[in-house]
Amino acid sequence: RTLLELTGIYGCKGVGIDISNEQIEDARVNNNGKCLFILGSASELSDYLSENSFTHVISQDGILLVYDKERCLQGIYDYLDSEGIFVFSDFLAEVSKEEMESRRRTGVYETVKWERGISHNDYVATLNDIGFSVLHSERREADMIKTYEKLILQTKRLLTEDSETCDKLVSRYQSIVDSVKDGELDWGWFVAKK
């Protein structure tokens, strides 16, 4: 939906890649004619794109689910034009999965099939190693806490009839809030230039 909105506002063309067939089908149904939507993996960009194709690449909390993050980031670098801009937000793992309390690990990693997180500092270092210039990066833990606290309230309000699902979701969201408050998780956004 973000790509559709951006292409509508700025009159540019866009390519959206997602591993979820449901997300791609939704995007195709709502396409404004300026976008191409591809079902695929962010780790396999070379299967669908030609290098130096894009002036801008954006990602909203999607890289967290990519298994080979370094390969994904290298691919993004390769597909940006000279001086292209990469803007993204993502969940940050400030401690390893093994260091996280087991109750939280289930709620944070196992429920969403998150294989491996990356910290804020590791993101910056990886981007620099690839060749990006990191123009801006910031941690947004207060925003993450506020979002998941609101999700807890909404879940309790909307799932009054389904207490089992409600309890599972509330427990998961609370695990995320607790992990952020204890410095285990974070949310960040980055602006990098090729």
Side-chain angles (χ1 to χ4, degrees):
R1 295 294 175 125
T2 301
L3 184 61
L4 292 168
E5 187 173 332
L6 289 172
T7 57
I9 292 170
Y10 296 104
C12 58
K13 294 179 182 178
V15 176
I17 299 173
D18 200 296
I19 203 162
S20 165
N21 190 51
E22 292 166 352
Q23 293 296 328
I24 292 298
E25 287 305 314
D26 178 69
R28 286 176 178 161
V29 166
N30 292 289
N31 198 343
N32 59 15
K34 297 177 183 175
C35 300
L36 169 65
F37 294 101
I38 300 169
L39 178 65
S41 169
S43 294
E44 304 293 333
L45 296 176
S46 62
D47 290 352
Y48 341 100
L49 306 173
S50 58
E51 290 190 8
N52 304 313
S53 303
F54 300 94
T55 58
H56 296 79
V57 173
I58 62 169
S59 174
Q60 288 180 275
D61 306 327
I63 297 173
L64 79 129
L65 296 174
V66 174
Y67 179 75
D68 190 343
K69 292 169 182 39
E70 291 78 7
R71 183 174 178 186
C72 173
L73 295 171
Q74 181 66 58
I76 290 167
Y77 182 86
D78 292 342
Y79 296 102
L80 277 169
D81 287 343
S82 172
E83 299 193 21
I85 300 293
F86 176 35
V87 178
F88 70 101
S89 62
D90 208 3
F91 285 71
L92 306 172
E94 297 300 332
V95 299
S96 71
K97 182 174 18 176
E98 295 72 31
E99 292 174 294
M100 186 176 282
E101 179 185 324
S102 66
R103 176 187 63 85
R104 292 181 188 166
R105 190 168 43 247
T106 299
V108 172
Y109 280 91
E110 294 164 21
T111 305
V112 295
K113 309 291 187 250
W114 193 21
E115 182 61 33
R116 173 178 75 90
I118 186 169
S119 72
H120 179 270
N121 291 341
D122 287 342
Y123 255 129
V124 171
T126 301
L127 291 166
N128 285 325
D129 288 346
I130 289 169
F132 281 106
S133 296
V134 178
L135 304 177
H136 184 81
S137 71
E138 66 181 85
R139 293 176 172 99
R140 301 295 300 242
E141 64 273 353
D143 292 340
M144 191 170 184
I145 291 169
K146 186 175 183 179
T147 297
Y148 280 91
E149 287 177 340
K150 284 187 175 194
L151 281 170
I152 290 168
L153 294 175
Q154 284 286 85
T155 300
K156 288 178 178 178
R157 186 175 63 81
L158 296 173
L159 292 179
T160 56
E161 303 291 318
D162 185 353
S163 62
E164 183 179 340
T165 301
C166 181
D167 291 346
K168 284 180 185 177
L169 287 171
V170 166
S171 176
R172 178 175 167 231
Y173 298 154
Q174 189 62 55
S175 293
I176 292 170
V177 169
D178 294 343
S179 292
V180 174
K181 287 181 177 179
D182 288 346
E184 296 174 329
L185 288 178
D186 206 339
W187 183 73
W189 73 276
F190 305 82
V191 179
K193 183 177 181 181
K194 184 171 181 177

